[in-house]
Amino acid sequence: MRNFMVFDVGGTNIKYAVINEQGKFLTKGDFPSSPYDFDQFHNNIVSITMENKQKYNIAGLAFSCPGGVDSETGI
């Protein structure tokens, strides 16, 4: 069975989990986001991914990230 490392990037925290193909959470956690420090963001993502890669067979990564909205068009 394949497992996936998933991240939900928010302005205050970044939530993460390892989820299997059937949607079962194998582990989850969070850490503070660093909106002005990309290196810290990157280091946290890599660290958590590598830590969980040793425990679970990670087949892929998924990210949910906020995006900008054009206030004139609503897109």
Side-chain angles (χ1 to χ4, degrees):
M1 180 177 308
R2 296 183 308 167
N3 302 313
F4 302 94
M5 187 84 227
V6 298
F7 294 92
D8 178 15
V9 180
T12 303
N13 290 301
I14 298 172
K15 298 175 197 84
Y16 65 88
V18 176
I19 302 174
N20 67 19
E21 286 180 294
Q22 297 168 334
K24 179 180 177 188
F25 283 72
L26 305 177
T27 190
K28 61 184 176 178
D30 63 21
F31 57 91
S33 60
S34 302
Y36 303 109
D37 188 348
F38 179 78
D39 289 334
Q40 184 64 46
F41 169 80
H42 178 261
N43 291 340
N44 287 338
I45 297 293
V46 169
S47 175
I48 298 234
T49 300
M50 296 308 289
E51 178 183 323
N52 283 290
K53 189 175 178 183
Q54 292 180 15
K55 297 177 188 175
Y56 307 99
N57 181 25
I58 304 294
L61 303 175
F63 287 85
S64 172
C65 301
V69 176
D70 183 326
S71 60
E72 292 182 20
T73 64
I75 297 173

